Each structure stands twice: as structure tokens, then as C-alpha cells.
Amino acid sequence: MKGGKSKAEVKDSKLAVKKGKTKKQAKDPNKPKRPPSAFFVFMEEFRKQFKEKHPNNKSVAAVGKAAGGKWKSLSDAEKAPYEAKAEKRKKEYEKSMQAYNKKLAEGRNIADDDDESDKSKSEVNDDEEKEGSAEEDEADE
């Protein structure tokens, strides 16, 4: 290239620009879902009320905006039942996560042992194959 950067330098600079995660971890479908916050517990009831008052409304944004305004206008005493429900769901979630993590740890320990034993077997087999092929090469010559 004339007077500029070489292809390798251009390529390196393009690679350096990329940011973010390169690999995503697969989500476990058995993992418990996180519990909703007090606002989202409130939203469950508010959506029903809003839909009754505005049956022709198809906009999710309008419902969210109205709910946000209503939530901000509520006093602490009015928010208390929603916060209590959210706290109850959070405790249930923590229990289910403990059970999930326990099962995961038990499953992983068993799987890890199997993986290690398979790995060591394959390494031994690879070494034997290399030695055998070297002897065969010498015999062929």
C-alpha cells in the first residue's frame, strides 16, 4: 500500500475498535425467574384497570406512562401492599434459587468428575497412538 497503513495495521485497528462480549452464555431454562419489583407488582393490577377504562388502547407505552405517573403519585402507605407482595416473592425466589444452585452444584460435581476421567483417557490414548505411529514410520523406512 502506498504511504498508508499496511493491511495488517488496518486490520488490527479494526479489531481494536470492537467492544463488548464475544461469547454469550447460554441461558438455563430451569433457572428460576427473578421476582418482580414492587412497581411491577403494581403494574399487574394497573394493566387490568387501565384496559377496562381504555379498551381500544393498543399502546404499551401509554399504559407504562400512565402507570409510572400513578406510581409516583402514590404515597408510601399506598405502595406498602405492593412492596410486601414483592418482598414475599423475593423470599420465594431466594428459596428456589438455593434449591436450584444446590441441584446445579450436585450435577456439576458429578459431570466434572466424568469429564476429567474422559480427558485423562483420551490423553493416554493420544500418547500411545503417537508412539505407535513413530515406530511404524521407522519400520517403513
Side-chain angles (χ1 to χ4, degrees):
M1 293 177 72
K2 292 184 179 179
K5 294 182 179 179
S6 69
K7 286 184 182 180
E9 289 173 334
V10 171
K11 198 176 204 181
D12 289 340
S13 65
K14 286 182 182 178
L15 291 175
V17 174
K18 290 184 181 181
K19 293 184 180 178
K21 296 181 180 178
T22 55
K23 291 185 181 179
K24 283 190 174 183
Q25 289 183 344
K27 291 185 179 181
D28 186 356
N30 300 326
K31 185 175 182 181
K33 287 187 175 183
R34 292 183 65 191
S37 66
F39 174 71
F40 284 101
V41 173
F42 164 75
M43 280 285 292
E44 291 171 359
E45 288 182 22
F46 184 82
R47 275 190 207 98
K48 293 174 189 171
Q49 295 170 358
F50 191 85
K51 197 168 191 173
E52 289 173 5
K53 292 179 184 176
H54 306 89
N56 295 332
N57 181 39
K58 303 290 181 189
S59 174
V60 175
V63 177
K65 197 168 201 172
K70 175 80 172 173
W71 179 255
K72 286 180 183 177
S73 69
L74 293 178
S75 67
D76 289 341
E78 293 170 319
K79 290 180 182 179
Y82 302 110
E83 291 170 347
K85 288 179 186 177
E87 189 63 33
K88 182 180 176 185
R89 290 185 183 182
K90 185 177 180 182
K91 288 179 182 176
E92 291 172 1
Y93 167 76
E94 288 171 352
K95 287 179 185 176
S96 60
M97 275 302 293
Q98 286 177 345
Y100 170 78
N101 287 333
K102 186 177 179 181
K103 286 181 185 177
L104 193 65
E106 289 172 359
R108 284 238 171 110
N109 290 341
I110 295 168
D112 288 346
D113 294 341
D114 291 343
D115 290 345
E116 289 177 11
S117 62
D118 289 345
K119 212 183 250 186
S120 61
K121 287 178 187 174
S122 65
E123 289 172 0
V124 170
N125 291 340
D126 291 344
D127 291 342
E128 289 173 1
E129 289 173 11
K130 288 178 185 175
E131 290 173 7
S133 62
E135 291 171 4
E136 290 173 7
D137 289 342
E138 290 174 5
D140 291 340
E141 290 178 1

